[in-house]
Amino acid sequence: MAIPSFVDRVTVHVTAGRGGNGCASVHREKFKPLGGPDGGNGGDGGSVILRVDPDTTTLVDYHRSSHRTATNGAQGKGDHQAGSNGADVVLPVPDGTVISTPEGEVLADLVGPGAEFVAAQGGKGGLGNAALASNSRKAPGFALLGEDGEERTLVLELKVVADVGLVGFPSAGKSSLVASISRARPKIADYPFTTLIPNLGVVVAGDITFTVADVPGLIEGASEGRGLGHDFLRHVERCAALVHVIDCATYEPGRDPLSDLDTIEAELRAHGGLQDRPRLVALNKIDVPDAREIAEMVQAELEERGLRVFPISTASHEGLEALKFAMAEIVGQRRAEADKPDTTRIVIRPQVQGGPEFKVKKLPDDGGWLVQGEKPERWVKQTDFANAEATGYLADRLNRLGVEKELLELGAVEGDAVVIGDGPNAIVFDFAPEVQAGAEILARRGEDHRLEEPRPAAQRRRQKDTEYHAHRSGELVTDRSEYGQGWVEDEVDLSPAEAKRAAEKAEKLARKEARGLEAQKELDQNG
């Protein structure tokens, strides 16, 4: 099956990049075994952005390739090295592209060069343990995971941005009219549905330059899906004025200019939203003698309806100048009435939802409690549950947010199931409120005291120094041992060399004492 060159409606699947994970690292160098956390943050994932490009006139690229994915952010590294951000993917779209959900909710209407819409936001990178350090948590042994990027299915629909739209039955001469008043060269033939795509032409009338769109032929029932008109009625929605091109030389039975006009107007009303657009009527093909007579017969009746009528011939160019200047007059009035356009580039991003940060509700049949909210659900996704300290940090965050307090007020008791999030990514916890035991204040969950408490060897050295200075000052009297220091051997931290010398000295003293005992024993025997 051949792929068409013009596509004005496509469905695309966009996936933003995932944020990189943060790094849990501790700085190490000589004489500094615990030099402090130095894990860097993960990089943000790339976003998928739709941007109006004046050089793009069709959505055919997304008909061929409907899946677009941005790159992921890199993971953080030690020594405070942050991961690189993922690259954004910018998708060019034609001017006048409407972005909506598959359910029909309009998300953005991109008009004007450079207008942007962030179709899928990249995931945030996870924080490294250096960024998580605080006065109460000086050496975090964990980092946060990167967030997943958004994944969405969008419908892109092109509505041609033109000042004047030409409507009428097939073979009424719309394409010939565009070719006659502009430099556009659409395909023209004498059979119905020659035009399969909207044709645009640029027209100059005096000081006004405007665009004219030839909308493919409408027939009765087009608004209900008959013929090609149903697919292209959207292209007249942005037009400032409509021109009915009526074939006065048709040989089809049962057709005449008045009935053709009424039929097309009925389809426009059924489509909706076009009642306020000014109308002009072009009675075409008056170069044919019978057609000129028919045009003269119906012109008065059409003018009685309040319509401006222009008998024209695209073959002989008769009446085209008057029609061009009439179209330019309407376009000029509409531009004068419209607000001055803002020249700044428009960037449309998803709206931030207001209201409470979370809500808690009781699940039926003692199913526990459900916690929903942007923050709790995002924090759960950032947590590495294989790390007990990271799980404790999540508990602290939820407690500070007020989740625990809310659960207690609603009647939750210890051991109840608490579900955070909805769908396949939901996490289930057993409710365990933070408690205090007696006069001892328990440490905060996830806290690490490794850098706060001195090592046991340092504590012993500090104690011996205190005893030594007390002995020197006479405040403390102790028995001096064979080492002459007043300390017990197993309470002293010795280096390997010191320990070896002490062992040799003790062995020498033991041998001396043994010789003395033997000599004393011999004297006793001889005496």
Side-chain angles (χ1 to χ4, degrees):
M1 180 178 178
I3 297 177
S5 61
F6 179 84
V7 176
D8 63 351
R9 183 184 176 90
V10 294
T11 299
V12 295
H13 308 276
V14 293
T15 305
R18 175 185 173 86
N21 297 336
C23 175
S25 172
V26 177
H27 181 71
R28 289 179 173 84
E29 60 180 279
K30 190 174 182 180
F31 305 121
K32 290 184 179 180
L34 289 177
D38 66 348
N41 301 335
D44 295 339
S47 300
V48 180
I49 301 172
L50 302 177
R51 179 182 298 166
V52 173
D53 182 3
D55 296 330
T56 303
T57 58
T58 177
L59 299 172
V60 67
D61 289 343
Y62 310 113
H63 180 78
R64 298 188 177 103
S65 178
S66 60
H67 293 264
R68 302 301 174 98
T69 304
T71 56
N72 298 330
Q75 183 172 344
K77 300 179 181 179
D79 200 18
H80 301 281
Q81 298 183 65
S84 58
N85 296 331
D88 293 338
V89 173
V90 179
L91 305 180
V93 295
D95 193 1
T97 300
V98 178
I99 304 163
S100 59
T101 64
E103 293 76 25
E105 179 187 357
V106 176
L107 302 176
D109 189 353
L110 301 182
V111 178
E116 291 183 0
F117 173 70
V118 181
Q121 185 71 45
K124 291 292 184 181
L127 297 180
N129 64 341
L132 296 173
S134 63
N135 290 333
S136 59
R137 184 179 285 105
K138 295 184 178 180
F142 66 98
L144 298 184
L145 304 179
E147 299 179 27
D148 291 330
E150 287 185 321
E151 185 174 356
R152 308 173 75 176
T153 298
L154 302 174
V155 177
L156 308 185
E157 186 177 24
L158 174 60
K159 296 182 179 180
V160 171
V161 180
D163 296 304
V164 178
L166 306 182
V167 295
F169 272 79
S171 297
K174 299 184 297 298
S175 299
S176 299
L177 179 57
V178 172
S180 299
I181 62 179
S182 71
R183 293 189 176 182
R185 293 296 177 264
K187 181 180 179 181
I188 300 172
D190 59 351
Y191 55 87
F193 302 119
T194 306
T195 303
L196 300 178
I197 64 174
N199 296 307
L200 281 177
V202 179
V203 182
V204 179
D207 297 332
I208 299 178
T209 301
F210 57 94
T211 56
V212 176
D214 163 21
V215 180
L218 303 178
I219 62 173
E220 186 176 2
S223 61
E224 299 175 357
R226 293 185 60 194
L228 299 177
H230 173 71
D231 294 330
F232 297 103
L233 270 170
R234 70 175 73 96
H235 294 299
V236 299
E237 293 180 3
R238 301 185 188 276
C239 298
L242 300 178
V243 176
H244 285 278
V245 181
I246 297 177
D247 184 2
C248 292
T250 180
Y251 295 103
E252 295 183 21
R255 283 185 55 188
D256 60 81
L258 296 178
S259 62
D260 285 1
L261 178 64
D262 293 338
T263 300
I264 299 302
E265 281 291 343
E267 295 306 319
L268 295 177
R269 284 194 301 270
H271 181 71
L274 302 172
Q275 289 79 7
D276 61 334
R277 311 301 164 83
R279 263 75 161 168
L280 300 177
V281 177
L283 300 175
N284 193 20
K285 302 183 182 179
I286 60 171
D287 55 295
V288 179
D290 292 341
R292 183 181 294 272
E293 294 180 3
I294 294 175
E296 293 174 351
M297 291 172 56
V298 301
Q299 181 173 356
E301 185 171 347
L302 293 174
E303 290 175 347
E304 289 178 358
R305 298 186 183 184
L307 299 172
R308 297 177 64 182
V309 182
F310 298 87
I312 63 168
S313 171
T314 57
S316 64
H317 289 199
E318 182 180 350
L320 294 185
E321 285 297 313
L323 179 60
K324 284 170 51 178
F325 278 91
M327 291 189 289
E329 180 183 351
I330 295 176
V331 172
Q333 291 176 355
R334 298 281 290 196
R335 290 177 180 175
E337 295 172 357
D339 296 333
K340 185 177 180 180
D342 188 0
T343 57
T344 59
R345 189 174 68 178
I346 300 173
V347 179
I348 303 174
R349 298 183 182 275
Q351 296 293 326
V352 178
Q353 301 295 329
E357 295 181 313
F358 69 93
K359 59 181 180 180
V360 180
K361 65 179 181 179
K362 187 76 168 67
L363 294 176
D365 300 329
D366 294 332
W369 305 85
L370 176 62
V371 179
Q372 293 178 308
E374 188 270 336
K375 278 189 176 181
E377 294 179 20
R378 176 163 53 88
W379 291 346
V380 165
K381 295 176 182 177
Q382 293 176 333
T383 302
D384 178 11
F385 290 99
N387 188 309
E389 192 177 350
T391 306
Y393 178 69
L394 171 64
D396 285 341
R397 300 177 84 180
L398 295 174
N399 189 26
R400 289 195 296 270
L401 187 62
V403 174
E404 184 174 295
K405 180 181 178 181
E406 183 72 13
L407 286 168
L408 291 173
E409 291 178 352
L410 293 177
V413 297
E414 186 173 357
D416 283 357
V418 178
V419 183
I420 299 180
D422 199 3
N425 296 323
I427 301 296
V428 182
F429 297 92
D430 289 333
F431 184 48
E434 195 173 55
V435 296
Q436 293 185 354
E440 179 187 3
I441 300 178
L442 299 181
R444 297 174 64 180
R445 289 168 293 193
E447 207 166 77
D448 190 339
H449 297 290
R450 287 178 297 176
L451 297 185
E452 293 182 358
E453 298 180 358
R455 292 177 296 147
Q459 289 179 333
R460 291 197 298 268
R461 287 184 183 278
R462 191 173 294 113
Q463 180 182 359
K464 298 308 177 184
D465 286 344
T466 303
E467 293 179 359
Y468 172 76
H469 290 294
H471 177 74
R472 290 290 302 270
S473 63
E475 298 176 1
L476 181 66
V477 179
T478 59
D479 295 334
R480 301 183 62 83
S481 68
E482 61 270 23
Y483 299 109
Q485 297 180 352
W487 296 325
V488 182
E489 179 181 351
D490 58 2
E491 292 182 351
V492 181
D493 289 323
L494 301 177
S495 66
E498 292 173 341
K500 182 178 180 181
R501 288 196 298 269
E504 292 174 351
K505 187 176 181 179
E507 184 179 357
K508 183 177 180 181
L509 182 61
R511 289 198 300 269
K512 182 178 179 181
E513 291 179 349
R515 288 195 300 269
L517 291 174
E518 290 178 358
Q520 184 64 35
K521 184 177 180 181
E522 291 179 359
L523 288 174
D524 292 341
Q525 290 176 353
N526 296 330

